[in-house]
Amino acid sequence: LGRHVVHLLELRRVLTQRERDEQHTRQLARAVEQCPASIVIVNPAGNIDYVNPKFVALTGYSVEEAIGRNPRFLQSGNKTREEYAQLWRTIKGGDTWHGTFCNKKKNGDIFWEQASISPITDHNGRTTHYVAVKEDITERRQVEARLQAVLTLKRAILEHAGHAII
């Protein structure tokens, strides 16, 4: 009887831990699904295994249109092959890459993203996937461009005014 009690207590402990683990997994899944940043997970070959709802809303591509494709279908041509090669060297080396992308939506509109891309490793330290967390910075870039245009115009006016005085 004592042995059965021990087995039952061990079974209860295992089930309680499993329930906690499942609850934790559900919480993490909800966090990723509800994240205000675009999240893309690619396999080691570089093909998309997962995109969150923010990616779908931002790009106009459905989950089905994105899964299995290489993210290069989003490229606008703004980055060079060498820049992409450096990105891959960084993440394949186990480090996180930080940078910006100028990408193209399904409808052809251009958008800018600030991104961090990191390897995902298994319990043995082997890379199983890469995760990209990307923030849409299109508005920020547009504001910066307008401010730069205003500053350029202001400089031109001041230079012209300076020459007019002389």
Side-chain angles (χ1 to χ4, degrees), residues 16-152:
T16 301
Q17 184 60 46
R18 181 176 291 164
E19 186 178 308
R20 271 188 246 145
D21 291 346
E22 288 174 358
Q23 183 178 11
H24 182 70
T25 300
R26 284 190 300 274
Q27 182 182 28
L28 289 173
R30 281 192 307 276
V32 169
E33 290 287 314
Q34 296 172 16
C35 185
S38 177
I39 297 177
V40 178
I41 299 176
V42 301
N43 60 33
N47 297 319
I48 297 173
D49 280 351
Y50 173 83
V51 294
N52 73 341
K54 180 64 177 186
F55 171 92
V56 172
L58 177 62
T59 67
Y61 288 98
S62 70
V63 170
E64 296 77 18
E65 290 172 309
I67 299 297
R69 294 178 75 179
N70 186 292
R72 74 174 61 98
F73 75 93
L74 297 168
Q75 292 177 4
S76 68
N78 181 268
K79 281 200 177 310
T80 66
R81 282 181 183 246
E82 179 51 38
E83 288 174 300
Y84 282 109
Q86 180 58 44
L87 179 160
W88 278 101
R89 280 192 296 275
T90 300
I91 62 176
K92 283 185 175 184
D95 295 322
T96 299
W97 179 87
H98 301 280
T100 58
F101 291 110
C102 179
N103 284 330
K104 207 182 312 182
K105 297 181 182 188
K106 185 175 180 179
N107 68 7
D109 289 351
I110 297 295
F111 66 102
W112 287 88
E113 293 179 299
Q114 182 71 42
S116 295
I117 304 175
S118 302
I120 300 173
T121 56
D122 65 14
H123 62 281
N124 293 319
R126 287 189 308 255
T127 298
T128 62
H129 291 83
Y130 300 97
V131 60
V133 179
K134 305 182 291 178
E135 177 188 1
D136 181 5
I137 59 167
T138 306
E139 263 188 57
R140 184 183 325 156
R141 294 289 292 240
Q142 290 169 342
V143 168
E144 289 170 356
R146 286 194 296 270
L147 286 172
Q148 189 59 47
V150 168
L151 289 172
T152 301

Side-chain angles (χ1 to χ4, degrees), residues 7-22:
H7 287 305
L8 287 174
L9 289 173
E10 179 62 16
L11 179 61
R12 181 176 177 190
R13 187 194 64 74
V14 168
L15 290 174
T16 301
Q17 184 60 46
R18 181 176 291 164
E19 186 178 308
R20 271 188 246 145
D21 291 346
E22 288 174 358

